[in-house]
Amino acid sequence: MSDNYFSKIAETGIRPSVQRVAVYTYLREHPVHPTVDMVYSALSPVYPTLSRTTIYNTLKLFADSGLVQVIRIEDDRLRYDADTSPHLHFKCRKCGNVFDITDEETLRKINADCIALLPAGFSAERIQTNIWGLCSTCVQKQKSAS
């Protein structure tokens, strides 16, 4: 258990239980944008009393407090990201991996363009941009198969 993660959770006003710290540690140390089921599969062997419901409730609590962000990049499930800094997400339609795109200059331009599209009187509070396509590994595999 990382004292840093314990403190980070406590700073948001959330009581940092062992299970909550374990979930947050997993998110911070495995930036794969996991689903509830992915977190459960990873942590349940180490924490056998941990339930999917506990993980779901913990992630919802973290998202509501701004400790993590919810990624809506798929129709049927949510993913979670402990990196709350501004960035885009790219989902490979072949392997299913989700990648962060963090180029600050590009982010500023995209965000400014999105805000400029808003009708008069509207105010943006958060912008989440997703891109779908093929990652470089899957592009290479596709080229090799051709």
Side-chain angles (χ1 to χ4, degrees):
M1 228 186 297
S2 171
D3 289 337
N4 186 36
Y5 299 148
F6 185 95
S7 298
K8 184 88 169 157
I9 294 168
E11 286 170 11
T12 65
I14 297 171
R15 188 179 58 81
S17 68
V18 170
Q19 292 177 330
R20 288 174 178 164
V21 174
V23 170
Y24 189 66
T25 299
Y26 180 80
L27 290 175
R28 294 300 303 183
E29 296 180 1
H30 300 88
V32 296
H33 309 87
T35 63
V36 168
D37 286 337
M38 292 167 72
V39 176
Y40 175 76
S41 295
L43 295 180
S44 64
V46 180
Y47 301 92
T49 60
L50 192 62
S51 69
R52 279 183 176 83
T53 301
T54 298
I55 292 171
Y56 172 80
N57 289 337
T58 298
L59 291 170
K60 182 171 180 353
L61 181 65
F62 287 173
D64 290 347
S65 73
L67 193 59
V68 302
Q69 64 174 313
V70 177
I71 312 275
R72 290 174 178 84
I73 199 163
E74 299 164 311
D75 291 337
D76 58 342
R77 59 190 163 173
L78 302 176
R79 289 179 174 252
Y80 298 87
D81 190 354
D83 180 356
T84 58
S85 67
H87 62 280
L88 308 176
H89 293 101
F90 178 95
K91 180 171 183 198
C92 180
R93 64 177 173 78
K94 185 114 174 134
C95 68
N97 290 329
V98 178
F99 303 88
D100 289 338
I101 310 294
T102 59
D103 181 71
E104 288 183 32
E105 185 177 327
T106 301
L107 287 170
R108 274 193 294 277
K109 181 173 178 357
I110 289 171
N111 287 343
D113 289 347
C114 287
I115 291 168
L117 291 171
L118 295 175
F122 282 56
S123 174
E125 293 178 352
R126 184 174 150 223
I127 298 171
Q128 186 178 79
T129 305
N130 299 319
I131 304 168
W132 294 264
L134 294 177
C135 69
S136 60
T137 302
C138 289
V139 167
Q140 288 305 316
K141 285 180 184 176
Q142 191 173 32
K143 286 181 181 177
S144 297
S146 298

